[in-house]
Amino acid sequence: MNTFNEILTEVSGFLWGWPMIILLLGTHLFLTIRLRFPQRHILKAIRLSVQKDPDATGDVSQFGSLATALAATIGTGNIIGVATAIALGGPGAVLWCWLTGVFGISTKYAEGLLAIKYRVQTADGKMLGGPMYALERGLGWKWLAILFALFTALAAFGIGNTVQANAIATVAYESYGISPYITGAFVCLLTCAVVLGGVKTISRVCSMLVPLMAVFYVVGCIYILIVNAAYIWPALQLICHAAFSPEAAGGGFVGSTVMMAARFGIARGLFSNESGMGSAPIVAAAAQTRNPVRQALVSSSGTFWDTVVICALTGLVIVSSVLAYPDIDFSDGATLTKDAFAKIPVVGRPLLTFGLLTFAFSTILGWCYYGERAVEYLKGKSWVKGYRVLFIIALFFGSIMNLAMVWNLADCMNALMTIPNLISLLFLSGIIVHETRKYLWRDRLDEED
């Protein structure tokens, strides 16, 4: 098993190396330029996300689909992932992570558009969509669509299941001494109670949970920044300087170069917001929307909240805390996160605990839906219940097992998901531009498709 894990480590390192980073970031930049910087419409996107369109075709509201996508996206990567980028790449990684989110808005926009454009309606009236349908119906490449669905179904057991359950169990044990076995059983029961109701129940729970956890976390971070007020400007200066300086960061940080800052900042940013991975379009396809561009705008706002806001706040909290308390441990991302938040009186540790618990549980709900839709595409509706049972059982084992191998396997599956999805975005970019011109550039967003 050790040998297999070493192989997975090598494969994961290769898949998420510079070629993948260049491909993803290149797609972000290509779509940003070709779509005339859709980032400038972010306020319109946010406004549309909270509007109801009940007469439009779909299973859940636009906000419900966004909340479910955010539930899957806003996870431990927004807290520990950012800290890991800082620990490995220095404070400059925060700026690269943020820039990745800014440009990733274009890719998330394109994914949401294709999800609506190529979605299908089942015999019972349910909407299904995602990269597998874009690959099959838009490009005629069913074999690649099957591979994407297979990688998604497998990846859900990693990024959206075992690693999240383990994070919950670890926090519960370290903070309150609760046995991982008890935590695992509780997570299984709670997840079962939600996912048995299907996408409508999942979206309702996420619509309530996501705003609550995001507001609580953002307010908590702002409080920490007020406590660290004297170090905010020095932290911003250090972040900007380290992002482009060939010299080591200094200021108590480990030695890092601009290449290390860019590599780890971009990689963590891409991993956090999932723009280009192809997961969020699966739930975007279920949205009640009049035309593909409306949902594309709503989907793009998810990357704004996830990376441009939450990841940026986390990064600023950690860097300012390190400047305020130079004795913080840099051995790894998890330790850095725990020490940075623990230094803040009263709210630091409870904020971290609440954030990790709610972020991890919401990710479980979102990825369960992604995995189910992938299985339904591969084998039909009759296989979904069996997959759901396996997903819930895996949560328990994730709570009590060592996850080094699972993390590596999840990273591999996520990378293998990303490649077919990026192919669909690049080869169908002409369709994306056509739809954007039809509805957005000509100011016809209220028209039916």
Side-chain angles (χ1 to χ4, degrees):
M1 295 300 288
N2 288 335
T3 302
F4 180 62
N5 189 42
E6 290 175 2
I7 294 173
L8 284 178
T9 301
E10 291 294 326
V11 174
S12 174
F14 171 76
L15 290 174
W16 283 106
W18 277 110
M20 175 64 78
I21 290 174
I22 292 171
L23 178 61
L24 267 166
L25 193 58
T27 302
H28 290 352
L29 294 171
F30 170 75
L31 291 173
T32 293
I33 295 171
R34 189 157 192 203
L35 295 172
R36 301 180 185 176
F37 291 83
Q39 293 88 342
R40 59 196 173 96
H41 300 289
I42 192 63
L43 293 179
K44 184 182 294 184
I46 294 172
R47 176 175 57 81
L48 286 173
S49 69
V50 296
Q51 291 181 350
K52 291 185 177 181
D53 199 4
D55 296 328
T57 305
D59 300 330
V60 298
S61 68
Q62 290 180 317
F63 180 75
S65 69
L66 174 63
T68 305
L70 279 173
T73 306
I74 299 177
T76 54
N78 294 81
I79 303 178
I80 296 178
V82 173
T84 300
I86 295 171
L88 297 175
V94 176
L95 181 60
W96 287 105
C97 181
W98 185 81
L99 289 173
T100 301
V102 171
F103 289 110
I105 289 173
S106 300
T107 301
K108 191 62 72 72
Y109 169 92
E111 290 177 320
L113 191 153
L114 293 182
I116 300 296
K117 179 69 176 177
Y118 293 108
R119 68 181 178 178
V120 299
Q121 190 169 20
T122 62
D124 59 358
K126 185 171 60 177
M127 289 294 181
L128 300 177
M132 52 276 206
Y133 293 92
L135 286 164
E136 179 183 352
R137 303 184 70 216
L139 293 173
W141 296 348
K142 187 174 177 63
W143 64 273
L144 196 55
I146 291 173
L147 285 178
F148 173 85
L150 177 62
F151 296 143
T152 301
L154 293 175
F157 283 100
I159 183 177
N161 184 302
T162 48
V163 296
Q164 305 299 334
N166 190 267
I168 294 173
T170 300
V171 170
Y173 179 76
E174 292 183 352
S175 300
Y176 307 105
I178 300 174
S179 168
Y181 290 89
I182 296 175
T183 302
F186 180 75
V187 171
C188 288
L189 291 174
L190 197 59
T191 303
C192 183
V194 176
V195 302
L196 286 179
V199 64
K200 292 185 178 180
T201 303
I202 292 174
S203 70
R204 280 198 299 268
V205 173
C206 292
S207 295
M208 294 183 292
L209 179 62
V210 168
L212 172 65
M213 70 184 194
V215 168
F216 185 87
Y217 184 74
V218 168
V219 170
C221 285
I222 292 173
Y223 169 79
I224 292 175
L225 292 177
I226 292 174
V227 174
N228 292 346
Y231 298 92
I232 293 178
W233 181 245
L236 287 170
Q237 288 180 310
L238 182 59
I239 288 170
C240 294
H241 175 75
F244 302 103
S245 173
E247 302 172 358
F253 288 91
V254 294
S256 61
T257 65
V258 62
M259 293 298 290
M260 291 175 65
R263 177 186 174 187
F264 290 108
I266 292 172
R268 288 298 97 187
L270 294 171
F271 194 81
S272 170
N273 61 53
E274 297 180 14
S275 294
M277 192 178 295
S279 50
I282 297 174
V283 70
Q288 295 169 336
T289 187
R290 300 182 194 183
N291 57 66
V293 172
R294 286 176 71 95
Q295 183 55 36
L297 287 169
V298 172
S299 294
S300 70
S301 68
T303 299
F304 171 79
W305 293 120
D306 174 85
T307 307
V308 179
V309 176
I310 294 180
C311 283
L313 278 174
T314 302
L316 191 56
V317 163
I318 291 175
V319 175
S320 64
S321 294
V322 169
L323 293 179
Y325 309 99
D327 61 326
I328 288 177
D329 188 359
F330 278 88
S331 58
D332 59 74
T335 304
L336 172 58
T337 304
K338 184 169 62 176
D339 286 357
F341 277 84
K343 292 290 185 180
I344 307 303
V346 184
V347 304
R349 194 178 295 276
L351 175 64
L352 178 60
T353 300
F354 178 84
L356 286 174
L357 291 176
T358 55
F359 285 13
F361 180 68
S362 69
T363 300
I364 290 170
L365 298 181
W367 271 92
C368 182
Y369 178 77
Y370 295 160
E372 288 181 11
R373 296 290 74 78
V375 168
E376 185 168 355
Y377 178 83
L378 291 170
K379 303 297 293 185
K381 189 176 180 180
S382 60
W383 284 62
V384 170
K385 289 184 178 179
Y387 179 86
R388 188 180 294 162
V389 170
L390 289 176
F391 188 91
I392 293 172
I393 292 173
L395 287 171
F396 179 78
F397 287 100
S399 301
I400 62 175
M401 65 188 292
N402 185 300
L403 287 183
M405 185 182 300
V406 176
W407 261 115
N408 286 327
L409 185 60
D411 282 347
C412 291
M413 292 300 105
N414 290 336
L416 293 174
M417 281 175 61
T418 302
I419 294 170
N421 181 57
L422 293 180
I423 289 174
S424 72
L425 293 173
L426 294 173
F427 279 83
L428 293 172
S429 61
I431 298 293
I432 298 169
V433 171
H434 172 77
E435 295 291 317
T436 302
R437 180 184 297 112
K438 179 180 178 181
Y439 293 107
L440 182 59
W441 297 344
R442 294 176 180 171
D443 197 22
R444 297 162 61 184
L445 281 173
D446 291 332
E447 292 189 8
E448 297 279 349
D449 184 19

